[in-house]
Amino acid sequence: DNLYVAQPAVNTVVRVTPAGAIETVATQADGLDGPASVAVAPDADGTERLYVSNFSVALAPLVAPGGAGPGIVMIPLGD
């Protein structure tokens, strides 16, 4: 199984494979704003979804106006 890691300082979530490969799967362009926690769950159709909580309050001085703000972002995962 893959490990998903939030990187709040750079507004990304990365996937770490069992072989150790690291791939960025979500960025600020996907709605991340100080990502904190991540969870993966299948949708009703079996599509894996990545759920990320934004904790932008901690990064408020660094967040550009109009940022996503606190909340939950859902991102479909591909293979």
Side-chain angles (χ1 to χ4, degrees):
D1 289 347
N2 295 316
L3 173 67
Y4 292 86
V5 180
Q7 298 181 301
V10 291
N11 284 322
T12 62
V13 173
V14 298
R15 173 177 29 223
V16 182
T17 68
I22 299 172
E23 173 189 8
T24 300
V25 295
T27 68
Q28 190 170 12
D30 296 304
L32 299 185
D33 193 357
S37 300
V38 298
V40 177
D43 201 351
D45 66 2
T47 302
E48 281 196 322
R49 309 273 182 190
L50 175 67
Y51 294 89
V52 183
S53 64
N54 281 329
F55 189 65
S56 64
V57 175
L59 299 176
L62 306 175
V63 175
I72 304 281
V73 177
M74 186 277 301
I75 301 162
L77 293 173
D79 290 341

Short mmCIF file of all heavy atoms in Angstrom, two decimals:
data_model
loop_
_atom_site.label_atom_id
_atom_site.label_comp_id
_atom_site.label_asym_id
_atom_site.label_seq_id
_atom_site.Cartn_x
_atom_site.Cartn_y
_atom_site.Cartn_z
N ASP A 1 0.83 -1.19 0.00
CA ASP A 1 0.00 0.00 0.00
C ASP A 1 0.87 1.24 0.00
O ASP A 1 1.98 1.23 0.51
CB ASP A 1 -0.91 0.03 1.20
CG ASP A 1 -2.02 -1.02 1.12
OD1 ASP A 1 -2.23 -1.59 0.03
OD2 ASP A 1 -2.66 -1.26 2.14
N ASN A 2 0.31 2.32 -0.55
CA ASN A 2 1.02 3.60 -0.60
C ASN A 2 0.81 4.38 0.68
O ASN A 2 -0.19 4.21 1.38
CB ASN A 2 0.53 4.41 -1.79
CG ASN A 2 0.85 3.76 -3.11
OD1 ASN A 2 1.96 3.28 -3.32
ND2 ASN A 2 -0.11 3.73 -4.01
N LEU A 3 1.75 5.26 0.97
CA LEU A 3 1.65 6.19 2.09
C LEU A 3 1.46 7.58 1.51
O LEU A 3 2.17 7.96 0.57
CB LEU A 3 2.94 6.13 2.92
CG LEU A 3 3.08 7.14 4.04
CD1 LEU A 3 2.06 6.87 5.14
CD2 LEU A 3 4.50 7.09 4.60
N TYR A 4 0.50 8.34 2.02
CA TYR A 4 0.26 9.71 1.57
C TYR A 4 0.67 10.66 2.68
O TYR A 4 0.28 10.47 3.83
CB TYR A 4 -1.22 9.90 1.20
CG TYR A 4 -1.58 9.10 -0.03
CD1 TYR A 4 -1.97 7.77 0.08
CD2 TYR A 4 -1.47 9.66 -1.29
CE1 TYR A 4 -2.27 7.03 -1.05
CE2 TYR A 4 -1.77 8.91 -2.42
CZ TYR A 4 -2.16 7.60 -2.29
OH TYR A 4 -2.45 6.86 -3.41
N VAL A 5 1.48 11.67 2.33
CA VAL A 5 2.06 12.57 3.32
C VAL A 5 1.74 14.01 2.96
O VAL A 5 2.04 14.45 1.83
CB VAL A 5 3.59 12.39 3.39
CG1 VAL A 5 4.20 13.31 4.42
CG2 VAL A 5 3.95 10.94 3.67
N ALA A 6 1.14 14.75 3.89
CA ALA A 6 0.89 16.18 3.71
C ALA A 6 2.17 16.94 3.99
O ALA A 6 2.89 16.65 4.95
CB ALA A 6 -0.22 16.64 4.65
N GLN A 7 2.44 17.93 3.15
CA GLN A 7 3.60 18.81 3.33
C GLN A 7 3.08 20.24 3.39
O GLN A 7 3.03 20.94 2.37
CB GLN A 7 4.59 18.63 2.18
CG GLN A 7 5.16 17.23 2.10
CD GLN A 7 6.15 17.08 0.96
OE1 GLN A 7 5.82 17.31 -0.19
NE2 GLN A 7 7.37 16.71 1.31
N PRO A 8 2.66 20.69 4.57
CA PRO A 8 1.99 21.99 4.68
C PRO A 8 2.83 23.19 4.27
O PRO A 8 2.31 24.14 3.71
CB PRO A 8 1.58 22.07 6.15
CG PRO A 8 2.40 21.07 6.86
CD PRO A 8 2.76 20.01 5.86
N ALA A 9 4.12 23.15 4.53
CA ALA A 9 4.96 24.30 4.21
C ALA A 9 5.05 24.57 2.71
O ALA A 9 5.31 25.70 2.29
CB ALA A 9 6.36 24.11 4.79
N VAL A 10 4.81 23.53 1.90
CA VAL A 10 4.89 23.71 0.44
C VAL A 10 3.57 23.38 -0.25
O VAL A 10 3.52 23.26 -1.48
CB VAL A 10 6.05 22.88 -0.18
CG1 VAL A 10 7.39 23.44 0.25
CG2 VAL A 10 5.93 21.41 0.18
N ASN A 11 2.48 23.26 0.54
CA ASN A 11 1.14 23.03 -0.01
C ASN A 11 1.08 21.86 -0.98
O ASN A 11 0.55 21.97 -2.09
CB ASN A 11 0.59 24.29 -0.67
CG ASN A 11 0.13 25.30 0.35
OD1 ASN A 11 -0.44 24.94 1.37
ND2 ASN A 11 0.36 26.56 0.09
N THR A 12 1.61 20.73 -0.58
CA THR A 12 1.55 19.54 -1.42
C THR A 12 1.20 18.31 -0.58
O THR A 12 1.34 18.30 0.64
CB THR A 12 2.88 19.25 -2.14
OG1 THR A 12 3.90 19.02 -1.17
CG2 THR A 12 3.30 20.39 -3.06
N VAL A 13 0.73 17.28 -1.29
CA VAL A 13 0.60 15.94 -0.72
C VAL A 13 1.38 15.02 -1.65
O VAL A 13 1.24 15.11 -2.88
CB VAL A 13 -0.87 15.48 -0.62
CG1 VAL A 13 -0.94 14.02 -0.20
CG2 VAL A 13 -1.64 16.36 0.36
N VAL A 14 2.21 14.19 -1.08
CA VAL A 14 2.99 13.25 -1.88
C VAL A 14 2.58 11.82 -1.57
O VAL A 14 2.09 11.53 -0.48
CB VAL A 14 4.51 13.41 -1.67
CG1 VAL A 14 4.98 14.78 -2.11
CG2 VAL A 14 4.91 13.14 -0.23
N ARG A 15 2.78 10.95 -2.57
CA ARG A 15 2.55 9.52 -2.41
C ARG A 15 3.92 8.86 -2.35
O ARG A 15 4.78 9.10 -3.19
CB ARG A 15 1.76 8.98 -3.60
CG ARG A 15 1.62 7.48 -3.62
CD ARG A 15 0.77 6.92 -4.76
NE ARG A 15 0.75 7.73 -5.95
CZ ARG A 15 -0.35 7.99 -6.67
NH1 ARG A 15 -1.51 7.52 -6.31
NH2 ARG A 15 -0.28 8.71 -7.76
N VAL A 16 4.11 8.00 -1.34
CA VAL A 16 5.34 7.22 -1.21
C VAL A 16 4.95 5.77 -1.44
O VAL A 16 4.13 5.21 -0.72
CB VAL A 16 5.98 7.40 0.18
CG1 VAL A 16 7.29 6.61 0.26
CG2 VAL A 16 6.20 8.87 0.50
N THR A 17 5.54 5.17 -2.47
CA THR A 17 5.22 3.78 -2.80
C THR A 17 6.03 2.82 -1.92
O THR A 17 7.01 3.23 -1.30
CB THR A 17 5.53 3.47 -4.27
OG1 THR A 17 6.95 3.51 -4.45
CG2 THR A 17 4.84 4.45 -5.22
N PRO A 18 5.64 1.56 -1.87
CA PRO A 18 6.42 0.59 -1.10
C PRO A 18 7.88 0.50 -1.55
O PRO A 18 8.76 0.19 -0.76
CB PRO A 18 5.70 -0.73 -1.35
CG PRO A 18 4.29 -0.34 -1.62
CD PRO A 18 4.40 0.96 -2.39
N ALA A 19 8.13 0.83 -2.83
CA ALA A 19 9.51 0.80 -3.34
C ALA A 19 10.29 2.06 -2.98
O ALA A 19 11.48 2.16 -3.27
CB ALA A 19 9.48 0.62 -4.85
N GLY A 20 9.60 3.06 -2.38
CA GLY A 20 10.28 4.29 -1.97
C GLY A 20 10.17 5.42 -2.97
O GLY A 20 10.73 6.49 -2.73
N ALA A 21 9.47 5.23 -4.07
CA ALA A 21 9.28 6.31 -5.04
C ALA A 21 8.36 7.37 -4.44
O ALA A 21 7.39 7.04 -3.75
CB ALA A 21 8.70 5.78 -6.34
N ILE A 22 8.67 8.63 -4.71
CA ILE A 22 7.88 9.74 -4.19
C ILE A 22 7.31 10.52 -5.36
O ILE A 22 8.05 10.90 -6.28
CB ILE A 22 8.74 10.66 -3.30
CG1 ILE A 22 9.27 9.86 -2.10
CG2 ILE A 22 7.93 11.87 -2.85
CD1 ILE A 22 10.28 10.62 -1.27
N GLU A 23 5.99 10.77 -5.31
CA GLU A 23 5.32 11.47 -6.40
C GLU A 23 4.34 12.48 -5.77
O GLU A 23 3.59 12.15 -4.86
CB GLU A 23 4.54 10.48 -7.25
CG GLU A 23 3.67 11.12 -8.30
CD GLU A 23 2.74 10.13 -8.99
OE1 GLU A 23 2.65 8.96 -8.55
OE2 GLU A 23 2.11 10.53 -9.96
N THR A 24 4.36 13.71 -6.29
CA THR A 24 3.40 14.71 -5.84
C THR A 24 2.05 14.39 -6.46
O THR A 24 1.94 14.24 -7.67
CB THR A 24 3.86 16.12 -6.26
OG1 THR A 24 5.12 16.39 -5.65
CG2 THR A 24 2.86 17.18 -5.82
N VAL A 25 1.01 14.28 -5.62
CA VAL A 25 -0.33 13.95 -6.12
C VAL A 25 -1.31 15.11 -5.98
O VAL A 25 -2.38 15.08 -6.59
CB VAL A 25 -0.91 12.69 -5.44
CG1 VAL A 25 -0.09 11.46 -5.80
CG2 VAL A 25 -1.01 12.86 -3.94
N ALA A 26 -0.98 16.13 -5.19
CA ALA A 26 -1.85 17.29 -5.05
C ALA A 26 -1.00 18.51 -4.68
O ALA A 26 0.00 18.38 -3.98
CB ALA A 26 -2.91 17.05 -3.99
N THR A 27 -1.43 19.68 -5.16
CA THR A 27 -0.71 20.92 -4.91
C THR A 27 -1.70 22.03 -4.57
O THR A 27 -2.92 21.81 -4.53
CB THR A 27 0.10 21.36 -6.16
OG1 THR A 27 -0.84 21.73 -7.19
CG2 THR A 27 1.03 20.26 -6.66
N GLN A 28 -1.17 23.23 -4.40
CA GLN A 28 -2.02 24.38 -4.13
C GLN A 28 -3.04 24.58 -5.26
O GLN A 28 -4.16 25.00 -5.01
CB GLN A 28 -1.16 25.63 -3.96
CG GLN A 28 -1.93 26.83 -3.45
CD GLN A 28 -1.00 27.96 -3.06
OE1 GLN A 28 0.19 27.96 -3.37
NE2 GLN A 28 -1.54 28.95 -2.37
N ALA A 29 -2.68 24.23 -6.48
CA ALA A 29 -3.59 24.34 -7.62
C ALA A 29 -4.81 23.43 -7.46
O ALA A 29 -5.85 23.69 -8.08
CB ALA A 29 -2.85 24.02 -8.91
N ASP A 30 -4.69 22.40 -6.64
CA ASP A 30 -5.81 21.48 -6.38
C ASP A 30 -6.66 21.94 -5.20
O ASP A 30 -7.62 21.26 -4.83
CB ASP A 30 -5.28 20.07 -6.09
CG ASP A 30 -4.56 19.48 -7.29
OD1 ASP A 30 -5.17 19.41 -8.36
OD2 ASP A 30 -3.38 19.10 -7.13
N GLY A 31 -6.31 23.07 -4.60
CA GLY A 31 -7.08 23.59 -3.48
C GLY A 31 -6.41 23.43 -2.13
O GLY A 31 -7.03 23.70 -1.10
N LEU A 32 -5.16 22.99 -2.10
CA LEU A 32 -4.48 22.82 -0.82
C LEU A 32 -4.07 24.17 -0.26
O LEU A 32 -3.63 25.05 -0.99
CB LEU A 32 -3.25 21.93 -0.97
CG LEU A 32 -3.51 20.50 -1.45
CD1 LEU A 32 -2.22 19.71 -1.43
CD2 LEU A 32 -4.58 19.82 -0.63
N ASP A 33 -4.23 24.33 1.04
CA ASP A 33 -3.91 25.57 1.73
C ASP A 33 -3.44 25.21 3.13
O ASP A 33 -4.21 25.28 4.08
CB ASP A 33 -5.15 26.46 1.75
CG ASP A 33 -4.86 27.90 2.15
OD1 ASP A 33 -3.70 28.20 2.47
OD2 ASP A 33 -5.81 28.70 2.14
N GLY A 34 -2.22 24.75 3.24
CA GLY A 34 -1.70 24.27 4.52
C GLY A 34 -2.27 22.90 4.86
O GLY A 34 -2.88 22.72 5.90
N PRO A 35 -2.07 21.90 3.97
CA PRO A 35 -2.64 20.58 4.22
C PRO A 35 -2.11 19.99 5.53
O PRO A 35 -0.95 20.14 5.85
CB PRO A 35 -2.18 19.75 3.02
CG PRO A 35 -0.94 20.43 2.53
CD PRO A 35 -1.17 21.89 2.81
N ALA A 36 -3.03 19.34 6.27
CA ALA A 36 -2.64 18.81 7.57
C ALA A 36 -2.81 17.30 7.64
O ALA A 36 -1.84 16.58 7.87
CB ALA A 36 -3.46 19.48 8.66
N SER A 37 -4.01 16.82 7.43
CA SER A 37 -4.29 15.39 7.55
C SER A 37 -4.78 14.85 6.23
O SER A 37 -5.42 15.57 5.46
CB SER A 37 -5.37 15.15 8.61
OG SER A 37 -4.94 15.62 9.86
N VAL A 38 -4.47 13.58 5.97
CA VAL A 38 -4.91 12.96 4.72
C VAL A 38 -5.57 11.61 5.03
O VAL A 38 -5.24 10.95 6.01
CB VAL A 38 -3.75 12.75 3.72
CG1 VAL A 38 -3.14 14.07 3.31
CG2 VAL A 38 -2.68 11.85 4.29
N ALA A 39 -6.52 11.25 4.18
CA ALA A 39 -7.16 9.95 4.26
C ALA A 39 -7.51 9.52 2.85
O ALA A 39 -7.77 10.35 1.98
CB ALA A 39 -8.43 10.01 5.11
N VAL A 40 -7.49 8.22 2.60
CA VAL A 40 -7.86 7.67 1.30
C VAL A 40 -9.03 6.74 1.51
O VAL A 40 -9.01 5.90 2.42
CB VAL A 40 -6.68 6.91 0.65
CG1 VAL A 40 -7.09 6.28 -0.66
CG2 VAL A 40 -5.49 7.84 0.45
N ALA A 41 -10.05 6.91 0.67
CA ALA A 41 -11.24 6.05 0.76
C ALA A 41 -11.82 5.86 -0.63
O ALA A 41 -11.76 6.77 -1.46
CB ALA A 41 -12.28 6.67 1.68
N PRO A 42 -12.38 4.68 -0.90
CA PRO A 42 -13.01 4.46 -2.20
C PRO A 42 -14.38 5.11 -2.27
O PRO A 42 -15.10 5.20 -1.28
CB PRO A 42 -13.13 2.94 -2.29
CG PRO A 42 -13.20 2.50 -0.87
CD PRO A 42 -12.39 3.49 -0.08
N ASP A 43 -14.73 5.59 -3.46
CA ASP A 43 -16.06 6.12 -3.73
C ASP A 43 -16.99 4.94 -4.01
O ASP A 43 -16.53 3.79 -4.08
CB ASP A 43 -15.98 7.03 -4.95
CG ASP A 43 -17.13 8.01 -5.04
OD1 ASP A 43 -18.08 7.89 -4.26
OD2 ASP A 43 -17.08 8.91 -5.90
N ALA A 44 -18.27 5.20 -4.18
CA ALA A 44 -19.24 4.13 -4.45
C ALA A 44 -18.89 3.34 -5.70
O ALA A 44 -19.16 2.14 -5.78
CB ALA A 44 -20.64 4.72 -4.58
N ASP A 45 -18.24 4.01 -6.67
CA ASP A 45 -17.87 3.32 -7.91
C ASP A 45 -16.49 2.67 -7.83
O ASP A 45 -15.99 2.13 -8.81
CB ASP A 45 -17.94 4.27 -9.10
CG ASP A 45 -16.92 5.39 -9.05
OD1 ASP A 45 -16.10 5.44 -8.11
OD2 ASP A 45 -16.92 6.23 -9.97
N GLY A 46 -15.85 2.72 -6.66
CA GLY A 46 -14.55 2.10 -6.47
C GLY A 46 -13.36 3.01 -6.73
O GLY A 46 -12.23 2.64 -6.48
N THR A 47 -13.61 4.24 -7.21
CA THR A 47 -12.53 5.19 -7.44
C THR A 47 -11.96 5.63 -6.11
O THR A 47 -12.70 6.05 -5.21
CB THR A 47 -13.05 6.44 -8.20
OG1 THR A 47 -13.63 6.03 -9.42
CG2 THR A 47 -11.94 7.43 -8.46
N GLU A 48 -10.64 5.54 -5.95
CA GLU A 48 -10.02 6.01 -4.72
C GLU A 48 -10.03 7.53 -4.70
O GLU A 48 -9.74 8.19 -5.69
CB GLU A 48 -8.59 5.51 -4.60
CG GLU A 48 -8.49 4.08 -4.15
CD GLU A 48 -7.09 3.73 -3.66
OE1 GLU A 48 -6.11 4.20 -4.25
OE2 GLU A 48 -7.00 2.98 -2.69
N ARG A 49 -10.37 8.06 -3.55
CA ARG A 49 -10.41 9.51 -3.34
C ARG A 49 -9.45 9.86 -2.20
O ARG A 49 -9.37 9.16 -1.20
CB ARG A 49 -11.81 9.98 -2.95
CG ARG A 49 -12.89 9.51 -3.88
CD ARG A 49 -13.06 10.43 -5.02
NE ARG A 49 -14.16 9.96 -5.87
CZ ARG A 49 -14.42 10.44 -7.03
NH1 ARG A 49 -13.67 11.40 -7.53
NH2 ARG A 49 -15.41 9.99 -7.76
N LEU A 50 -8.73 10.95 -2.40
CA LEU A 50 -7.84 11.49 -1.37
C LEU A 50 -8.57 12.65 -0.71
O LEU A 50 -9.02 13.57 -1.39
CB LEU A 50 -6.54 11.98 -2.01
CG LEU A 50 -5.53 12.67 -1.10
CD1 LEU A 50 -4.96 11.68 -0.09
CD2 LEU A 50 -4.42 13.29 -1.92
N TYR A 51 -8.73 12.58 0.61
CA TYR A 51 -9.35 13.66 1.37
C TYR A 51 -8.26 14.33 2.19
O TYR A 51 -7.49 13.67 2.89
CB TYR A 51 -10.44 13.11 2.30
CG TYR A 51 -11.60 12.53 1.53
CD1 TYR A 51 -11.61 11.19 1.14
CD2 TYR A 51 -12.67 13.32 1.17
CE1 TYR A 51 -12.66 10.66 0.42
CE2 TYR A 51 -13.74 12.80 0.44
CZ TYR A 51 -13.72 11.47 0.08
OH TYR A 51 -14.76 10.95 -0.65
N VAL A 52 -8.19 15.66 2.07
CA VAL A 52 -7.13 16.42 2.74
C VAL A 52 -7.77 17.55 3.54
O VAL A 52 -8.59 18.31 3.00
CB VAL A 52 -6.16 17.02 1.71
CG1 VAL A 52 -5.02 17.75 2.41
CG2 VAL A 52 -5.61 15.96 0.77
N SER A 53 -7.39 17.67 4.81
CA SER A 53 -7.86 18.81 5.59
C SER A 53 -6.86 19.95 5.44
O SER A 53 -5.65 19.74 5.51
CB SER A 53 -8.03 18.44 7.06
OG SER A 53 -6.79 18.10 7.63
N ASN A 54 -7.40 21.13 5.17
CA ASN A 54 -6.58 22.34 5.10
C ASN A 54 -6.58 23.02 6.46
O ASN A 54 -7.63 23.24 7.05
CB ASN A 54 -7.15 23.32 4.08
CG ASN A 54 -6.81 22.96 2.66
OD1 ASN A 54 -5.76 22.39 2.39
ND2 ASN A 54 -7.68 23.30 1.73
N PHE A 55 -5.41 23.34 6.94
CA PHE A 55 -5.25 24.02 8.23
C PHE A 55 -4.57 25.35 7.98
O PHE A 55 -3.51 25.63 8.52
CB PHE A 55 -4.44 23.14 9.19
CG PHE A 55 -4.42 23.65 10.60
CD1 PHE A 55 -5.58 23.70 11.34
CD2 PHE A 55 -3.24 24.06 11.18
CE1 PHE A 55 -5.57 24.17 12.65
CE2 PHE A 55 -3.22 24.52 12.48
CZ PHE A 55 -4.37 24.58 13.22
N SER A 56 -5.16 26.16 7.13
CA SER A 56 -4.50 27.38 6.67
C SER A 56 -4.28 28.41 7.77
O SER A 56 -3.49 29.32 7.60
CB SER A 56 -5.29 28.01 5.53
OG SER A 56 -6.56 28.42 5.98
N VAL A 57 -4.94 28.27 8.91
CA VAL A 57 -4.78 29.23 9.98
C VAL A 57 -3.31 29.33 10.40
O VAL A 57 -2.79 30.41 10.64
CB VAL A 57 -5.67 28.86 11.19
CG1 VAL A 57 -5.42 29.78 12.36
CG2 VAL A 57 -7.13 28.93 10.77
N ALA A 58 -2.63 28.19 10.47
CA ALA A 58 -1.22 28.20 10.89
C ALA A 58 -0.33 28.91 9.89
O ALA A 58 0.72 29.43 10.25
CB ALA A 58 -0.73 26.76 11.08
N LEU A 59 -0.75 28.96 8.63
CA LEU A 59 0.07 29.58 7.59
C LEU A 59 -0.47 30.93 7.17
O LEU A 59 -0.04 31.48 6.17
CB LEU A 59 0.14 28.65 6.37
CG LEU A 59 0.75 27.27 6.62
CD1 LEU A 59 0.66 26.42 5.37
CD2 LEU A 59 2.18 27.40 7.08
N ALA A 60 -1.43 31.50 7.92
CA ALA A 60 -2.11 32.73 7.51
C ALA A 60 -1.16 33.82 7.00
O ALA A 60 -1.46 34.43 5.98
CB ALA A 60 -2.98 33.25 8.65
N PRO A 61 -0.02 34.08 7.64
CA PRO A 61 0.85 35.13 7.12
C PRO A 61 1.47 34.77 5.75
O PRO A 61 1.90 35.65 5.03
CB PRO A 61 1.96 35.25 8.16
CG PRO A 61 1.43 34.59 9.38
CD PRO A 61 0.45 33.56 8.91
N LEU A 62 1.48 33.48 5.40
CA LEU A 62 2.12 33.05 4.16
C LEU A 62 1.12 32.79 3.03
O LEU A 62 1.53 32.60 1.89
CB LEU A 62 2.90 31.75 4.40
CG LEU A 62 3.92 31.78 5.53
CD1 LEU A 62 4.52 30.40 5.74
CD2 LEU A 62 5.01 32.79 5.25
N VAL A 63 -0.18 32.79 3.34
CA VAL A 63 -1.20 32.44 2.35
C VAL A 63 -1.60 33.68 1.56
O VAL A 63 -1.89 34.72 2.12
CB VAL A 63 -2.45 31.84 3.04
CG1 VAL A 63 -3.56 31.60 2.05
CG2 VAL A 63 -2.07 30.55 3.74
N ALA A 64 -1.59 33.54 0.25
CA ALA A 64 -1.98 34.65 -0.62
C ALA A 64 -3.47 34.93 -0.45
O ALA A 64 -4.25 34.02 -0.19
CB ALA A 64 -1.70 34.29 -2.08
N PRO A 65 -3.89 36.18 -0.59
CA PRO A 65 -5.32 36.50 -0.52
C PRO A 65 -6.10 35.65 -1.53
O PRO A 65 -5.64 35.41 -2.64
CB PRO A 65 -5.37 37.98 -0.90
CG PRO A 65 -4.00 38.51 -0.58
CD PRO A 65 -3.06 37.35 -0.83
N GLY A 66 -7.25 35.18 -1.10
CA GLY A 66 -8.05 34.34 -1.98
C GLY A 66 -7.69 32.88 -1.92
O GLY A 66 -8.15 32.07 -2.71
N GLY A 67 -6.83 32.49 -0.95
CA GLY A 67 -6.45 31.08 -0.80
C GLY A 67 -7.65 30.24 -0.43
O GLY A 67 -8.73 30.74 -0.12
N ALA A 68 -7.47 28.94 -0.43
CA ALA A 68 -8.57 28.02 -0.19
C ALA A 68 -9.13 28.11 1.23
O ALA A 68 -10.32 27.96 1.44
CB ALA A 68 -8.13 26.59 -0.48
N GLY A 69 -8.31 28.38 2.22
CA GLY A 69 -8.77 28.49 3.59
C GLY A 69 -9.02 27.13 4.23
O GLY A 69 -8.86 26.09 3.60
N PRO A 70 -9.41 27.15 5.52
CA PRO A 70 -9.67 25.89 6.22
C PRO A 70 -10.80 25.11 5.56
O PRO A 70 -11.75 25.69 5.04
CB PRO A 70 -10.09 26.35 7.62
CG PRO A 70 -9.58 27.74 7.74
CD PRO A 70 -9.60 28.30 6.37
N GLY A 71 -10.71 23.80 5.58
CA GLY A 71 -11.75 22.96 5.00
C GLY A 71 -11.20 21.62 4.58
O GLY A 71 -10.06 21.27 4.87
N ILE A 72 -12.05 20.87 3.85
CA ILE A 72 -11.68 19.54 3.35
C ILE A 72 -11.67 19.59 1.82
O ILE A 72 -12.60 20.12 1.20
CB ILE A 72 -12.69 18.48 3.79
CG1 ILE A 72 -12.84 18.45 5.30
CG2 ILE A 72 -12.33 17.10 3.23
CD1 ILE A 72 -11.76 17.75 6.05
N VAL A 73 -10.62 19.05 1.23
CA VAL A 73 -10.50 18.98 -0.23
C VAL A 73 -10.54 17.51 -0.61
O VAL A 73 -9.91 16.67 0.01
CB VAL A 73 -9.16 19.61 -0.70
CG1 VAL A 73 -9.00 19.47 -2.20
CG2 VAL A 73 -9.06 21.06 -0.26
N MET A 74 -11.32 17.18 -1.66
CA MET A 74 -11.40 15.81 -2.17
C MET A 74 -10.76 15.78 -3.54
O MET A 74 -11.07 16.60 -4.40
CB MET A 74 -12.87 15.35 -2.26
CG MET A 74 -13.04 13.89 -2.64
SD MET A 74 -12.97 13.56 -4.41
CE MET A 74 -14.30 14.55 -5.01
N ILE A 75 -9.85 14.83 -3.74
CA ILE A 75 -9.12 14.72 -5.00
C ILE A 75 -9.19 13.25 -5.46
O ILE A 75 -8.77 12.35 -4.72
CB ILE A 75 -7.64 15.13 -4.82
CG1 ILE A 75 -7.59 16.58 -4.33
CG2 ILE A 75 -6.84 14.93 -6.08
CD1 ILE A 75 -6.29 16.99 -3.71
N PRO A 76 -9.73 13.00 -6.66
CA PRO A 76 -9.73 11.62 -7.18
C PRO A 76 -8.29 11.19 -7.45
O PRO A 76 -7.47 11.97 -7.94
CB PRO A 76 -10.52 11.70 -8.49
CG PRO A 76 -11.18 13.04 -8.47
CD PRO A 76 -10.40 13.92 -7.56
N LEU A 77 -7.97 9.96 -7.13
CA LEU A 77 -6.62 9.43 -7.38
C LEU A 77 -6.63 8.54 -8.61
O LEU A 77 -7.52 7.73 -8.78
CB LEU A 77 -6.13 8.61 -6.18
CG LEU A 77 -5.87 9.40 -4.90
CD1 LEU A 77 -5.55 8.43 -3.77
CD2 LEU A 77 -4.74 10.38 -5.10
N GLY A 78 -5.63 8.72 -9.44
CA GLY A 78 -5.44 7.82 -10.58
C GLY A 78 -4.39 6.80 -10.23
O GLY A 78 -3.83 6.79 -9.14
N ASP A 79 -4.10 5.92 -11.16
CA ASP A 79 -3.07 4.90 -10.93
C ASP A 79 -1.69 5.49 -11.01
O ASP A 79 -1.37 6.36 -11.68
CB ASP A 79 -3.21 3.77 -11.92
CG ASP A 79 -4.47 2.95 -11.64
OD1 ASP A 79 -4.99 3.03 -10.52
OD2 ASP A 79 -4.90 2.25 -12.56
#
